[in-house]
Amino acid sequence: MMTALRAARNPSLSVGIFEKNSKLGCNTQISSGSLAAGGTRFQRAAGVVDSPERHAEDILAVSKDEASAPLLLEICRAAPRYVEWLADELDYPVELGLDMPRSGQSVPRLHTDTGRRGGRVLVSALRSAVHRTASVAFVDNSPAVRLLGSADGVMGIEVASSNQRTTTVYARAVVLAADGFAADAAMLARYCPDAVTAFYGGASTSTGEVMRWAIGIGARTRNMAAFLGHGLVVAGHGTRLNPSLPFLGAVLLDSSGHRFVDERGQGYSKLAAILRSLPDRRAAIIWTPQAHEAAMHSELMRESAAAGAFTCYASIDALAAGLKLPPAALRSSLTDHEGHVMTAPLYGTWVTYGILTTQGGLEVDMTGRVRRQDGAAVPGLHAVGGTAAGVSGPSPEGYSSGNGLLAAMGLGWIAGNYLAAA
Ligand SMILES: Cc1cc2nc3c(=O)[nH]c(=O)nc-3n(C[C@H](O)[C@H](O)[C@H](O)COP(=O)(O)OP(=O)(O)OC[C@H]3O[C@@H](n4cnc5c(N)ncnc54)[C@H](O)[C@@H]3O)c2cc1C
């Protein structure tokens, strides 16, 4: 939708969005909607000094993917522009998350909707804008089923409609924006075997077929083993906890009741890999009522609360009994990062590891054009968002908070601007 809206600024273009099934939903819609951007007016108003360059440096320090640096910088330069465009042109109610510290982010940089309702607000702002734009058609329940062309040039797609017929759509440019392959068991086993046993918290529509077609005509891929993992998935519930909790003093304990990790030193994707390496692949997390009050200002915590995914315990004994932790070890572990002893009442639950979406994909050039094996662009073929290789490096440890929507919105912005000008 971002690409379509930007491309449609050129009045000579007609744009069609063929959507598999909007009722099944997309990852943007179920995401927290946190948009990472460095150098916005929202940051300036809050006295936060930041820039696209600093944003890119922070990401590279975690992803260690030097080869991605030039495109990453372009994407980070786009980020403050589209965050302000979302606010000004689409009436998306933006606020800077000053209370959303994240590992690897040197300054507050996540922007959200003012009510913290998550990605559905973002999707509805984009979809309303699409519907207002006469030269963009949104065609629902019409999955792409085939890519027309070869590495020498793509000329359109075939789409299926609900009456079992297929329609051929010829186009001067095809933009693949169908996200990754986390919902496809075979592709996951092939490229991200560590994620196969993880809880899957993404959309059912991320089945990777458009990526397979592009690979089939000779497109190059990058970083296919990378994915967005999550180490704060509540065991037995599948809801997530607010990633700010460790910064609010929450502690993580293994099943023997001992701390095993610097809670604030890990991004939640890296934490997923750490939990996976524990013998029973889960950890207890414990936090204070003060932390709880601050953390509840997020759609994640509200969902977890509604699901009954954590409990407030009136005493340490009740906490030990509720989480089945050895009381003596538990007591000795209840000291937060500042050295304060945590006293009851305390909140607690068990968390495990999950995968939300994949981060590897088709290699693209500086304008979002898909590269083929010899490095040249496949004429007429572009990829954005999770279908393109993201900015999180080669492994799940390389993900920085906000990288997913950065690749979706940022590459979408860049590709749409390119198409409008081309
Ligand atoms: C629970 C969760 C929370 C997250 N929170 C954040 C966050 O706060 N910040 C952040 O930066 N990232 C977050 N992410 C990651 C982020 O949501 C994704 O990286 C991003 O939404 C990907 O955008 P996309 O446009 O590539 O894919 P999507 O938003 O998934 O859109 C892809 C669309 O393509 C459609 N489609 C698929 N196949 C076909 C086909 N064959 N034909 C036609 N249509 C097709 C799908 O139906 C879907 O509508 C989160 C992810 C999850 C799952």
Side-chain angles (χ1 to χ4, degrees):
M1 290 190 284
M2 173 65 96
T3 310
L5 289 168
R6 296 305 294 175
R9 290 173 311 130
N10 180 336
S12 69
L13 296 183
S14 298
V15 185
I17 302 174
F18 295 92
E19 163 57 45
K20 187 187 271 182
N21 183 332
S22 67
K23 283 211 175 71
L24 292 178
C26 62
N27 277 333
T28 305
Q29 198 161 17
I30 61 170
S31 78
S32 303
S34 308
L35 300 170
T40 67
R41 69 163 189 265
F42 302 97
Q43 289 175 305
R44 282 194 294 281
V48 175
V49 179
D50 199 8
S51 65
E53 289 73 19
R54 186 169 180 174
H55 186 185
E57 267 170 38
D58 280 359
I59 289 177
L60 275 183
V62 179
S63 74
K64 313 215 182 335
D65 186 10
E66 284 301 327
S68 73
L71 179 58
L72 170 66
L73 186 55
E74 276 307 293
I75 294 174
C76 289
R77 286 190 174 133
R81 297 177 62 201
Y82 64 71
V83 166
E84 294 181 11
W85 173 84
L86 284 166
D88 298 338
E89 305 283 326
L90 269 58
D91 283 334
Y92 178 63
V94 176
E95 75 171 3
L96 176 65
L98 285 168
D99 57 345
M100 297 171 72
R102 297 289 184 267
S103 172
Q105 264 173 21
S106 55
V107 292
R109 170 179 298 143
L110 293 181
H111 299 70
T112 69
D113 67 291
T114 48
R116 306 279 169 101
R117 286 162 294 165
R120 67 197 155 94
V121 187
L122 183 58
V123 166
S124 107
L126 287 162
R127 196 152 306 150
S128 302
V130 162
H131 289 318
R132 285 196 302 271
T133 309
S135 56
V136 181
F138 185 89
V139 191
D140 206 350
N141 301 313
S142 301
V145 291
R146 202 159 75 90
L147 195 58
L148 303 176
S150 67
D152 296 325
V154 162
M155 64 202 77
I157 53 169
E158 221 166 73
V159 297
S161 28
S162 42
N163 57 9
Q164 308 296 321
R165 291 176 52 182
T166 57
T167 305
T168 303
V169 183
Y170 292 103
R172 281 165 58 194
V174 170
V175 181
L176 304 177
D179 212 337
F181 53 85
D184 183 80
M187 284 182 87
L188 207 60
R190 174 167 182 196
Y191 296 112
C192 307
D194 284 356
V196 166
T197 53
F199 171 83
Y200 180 48
S204 63
T205 46
S206 297
T207 40
E209 62 273 22
V210 303
M211 216 187 272
R212 291 197 297 273
W213 304 330
I215 294 169
I217 64 165
R220 242 193 220 176
T221 57
R222 287 197 78 223
N223 294 340
M224 291 295 274
F227 59 89
L228 162 52
H230 210 290
L232 293 174
V233 175
V234 183
H237 287 274
T239 56
R240 289 164 294 139
L241 300 179
N242 188 334
S244 299
L245 273 176
F247 296 87
L248 295 163
V251 294
L252 283 164
L253 312 180
D254 61 20
S255 50
S256 70
H258 293 105
R259 304 265 296 275
F260 61 93
V261 73
D262 170 9
E263 292 86 350
R264 294 189 286 191
Q266 330 298 329
Y268 42 79
S269 191
K270 188 170 175 193
L271 183 61
I274 295 171
L275 292 196
R276 186 176 174 273
S277 69
L278 294 178
D280 54 1
R281 301 185 167 192
R282 61 180 198 158
I285 181 166
I286 295 161
W287 66 99
T288 63
Q290 294 76 19
H292 187 74
E293 194 182 336
M296 279 300 282
H297 192 36
S298 84
E299 108 286 358
L300 299 177
M301 286 298 276
R302 291 192 292 261
E303 278 171 20
S304 285
F310 49 73
T311 305
C312 183
Y313 295 95
S315 68
I316 305 290
D317 286 341
L319 178 66
L323 298 184
K324 298 191 172 53
L325 288 168
L330 172 62
R331 276 177 209 284
S332 69
S333 299
L334 290 180
T335 306
D336 74 11
H337 297 85
E338 266 78 50
H340 302 130
V341 176
M342 300 164 78
T343 53
L346 289 170
Y347 286 84
T349 191
W350 286 94
V351 285
T352 185
Y353 65 103
I355 172 174
L356 301 185
T357 180
T358 51
Q359 289 288 292
L362 306 176
E363 184 176 314
V364 294
D365 70 9
M366 299 289 282
T367 58
R369 291 182 301 175
V370 173
R371 285 193 203 279
R372 57 189 192 196
Q373 293 300 333
D374 65 4
V378 178
L381 189 65
H382 305 247
V384 301
T387 308
V391 295
S392 302
S395 74
E397 284 84 357
Y399 186 88
S400 292
S401 190
N403 276 4
L405 288 173
L406 182 67
M409 301 283 146
L411 265 178
W413 175 272
I414 289 169
N417 289 350
Y418 170 83
L419 291 171

